[in-house]
Amino acid sequence: NAVVRQFASVDELASADAVFIGAKKPSDIRKALHYYSTQPTITLGSSEGFLDDGGVIEFVERTGKIRFVINAK
């Protein structure tokens, strides 16, 4: 069963199998990715540079469609 939770700040993060990081501030994104980097968690996001910061799957818009890019590192 999937459970969906929303966190008001990165200080409230909890363990998860998968997490969408929709933070707006780059520092919050990096903090969340750092938190999940030591856990078996799939991180998803749509901010520019998400994969470069260590995210696993980044959603991007290409030719009017939402696609995803997987970080192979």
Side-chain angles (χ1 to χ4, degrees):
N1 291 340
V3 176
V4 177
R5 291 181 284 179
Q6 183 173 359
F7 301 104
S9 76
V10 291
D11 296 322
E12 297 177 8
L13 298 177
S15 63
D17 294 324
V19 62
F20 180 83
I21 301 171
K24 301 291 183 204
K25 293 181 3 185
S27 61
D28 287 344
I29 294 168
R30 285 190 295 275
K31 188 174 181 180
L33 287 170
H34 178 73
Y35 175 85
Y36 288 110
S37 69
T38 60
Q39 298 186 33
T41 301
I42 297 172
T43 52
L44 304 105
S46 59
S47 60
E48 189 170 329
F50 186 76
L51 298 183
D52 293 331
D53 288 337
V56 176
I57 298 173
E58 180 178 343
F59 294 101
V60 295
E61 182 182 343
R62 295 209 176 119
T63 62
K65 297 181 180 181
I66 301 297
R67 305 286 187 191
F68 62 91
V69 181
I70 299 173
N71 189 346
K73 296 179 188 177

